Amino acid sequence: MRRKKSSRSIFRDLYDVIERQRREGRPRLIQLESLTRRSRTLTQLFQGTLQTWLLATVRDDVNGKLESITGRLQLLVSEMEGFEAQREELVVWLADMDARLSEVDQLTRNTCEKLKQLQVWGCFDMTYI
């Protein structure tokens, strides 16, 4: 037959078990705290690296788009300058034609002679008449 353990003995056994588990758990707790600190450090490094990479990617994308837009704008400005030069040439040509037509209009000759004079100046092509 078994003898009953006293309450004191039971509590002593429980205390010994708890102390043993505490001694065994302390190195693991220290290791866990070290791993937690390391994890936080790595997380911060990763976030910093990821942010840097994302910013570089966005910057490169924006720079590419800006270069594309700048190229198109330069092309449009170049075309506009060409159109402006043509407009200035047309203004001079129209002023010259206006002066020549005024001269022809002042001629007292008949219409056929006026057309011939315009043809001499290169203002009128008689092949269509």
Side-chain angles (χ1 to χ4, degrees):
M1 187 154 150
R2 274 180 148 193
R3 206 171 81 147
K4 272 186 152 184
K5 282 189 167 184
S6 69
S7 295
R8 183 178 184 150
S9 175
I10 293 172
F11 284 120
R12 181 69 181 158
D13 289 343
L14 282 173
Y15 179 76
D16 289 342
V17 169
I18 291 171
E19 277 298 312
R20 184 172 33 85
Q21 288 179 348
R22 194 174 70 128
R23 279 191 308 271
E24 291 173 2
R26 181 169 294 281
R28 288 184 180 167
L29 182 61
I30 291 171
Q31 183 182 19
L32 179 62
E33 288 173 351
S34 173
L35 288 172
T36 302
R37 281 193 304 273
R38 190 175 198 187
S39 171
R40 286 182 185 148
T41 301
L42 289 174
T43 301
Q44 290 171 351
L45 288 173
F46 176 73
Q47 286 176 341
T49 302
L50 184 61
Q51 286 175 344
T52 301
W53 176 78
L54 285 172
L55 286 173
T57 302
V58 168
R59 183 194 64 224
D60 292 345
D61 186 42
V62 168
N63 283 341
K65 288 179 181 176
L66 283 175
E67 287 176 13
S68 173
I69 291 169
T70 302
R72 288 186 299 199
L73 285 174
Q74 288 173 342
L75 179 64
L76 290 173
V77 167
S78 176
E79 287 179 355
M80 184 191 72
E81 289 171 348
F83 292 145
E84 184 64 26
Q86 287 178 348
R87 186 189 72 78
E88 290 172 5
E89 289 174 9
L90 285 173
V91 166
V92 170
W93 182 81
L94 285 172
D96 183 49
M97 288 299 108
D98 187 49
R100 287 183 180 188
L101 286 173
S102 294
E103 290 175 19
V104 168
D105 199 31
Q106 292 174 3
L107 293 176
T108 56
R109 302 180 198 159
N110 64 27
T111 306
C112 188
E113 290 174 353
K114 289 181 181 181
L115 287 174
K116 285 181 183 177
Q117 182 61 42
L118 287 173
Q119 188 179 16
V120 169
W121 288 336
C123 301
F124 194 73
D125 189 358
M126 294 291 281
T127 56
Y128 298 109
I129 298 178

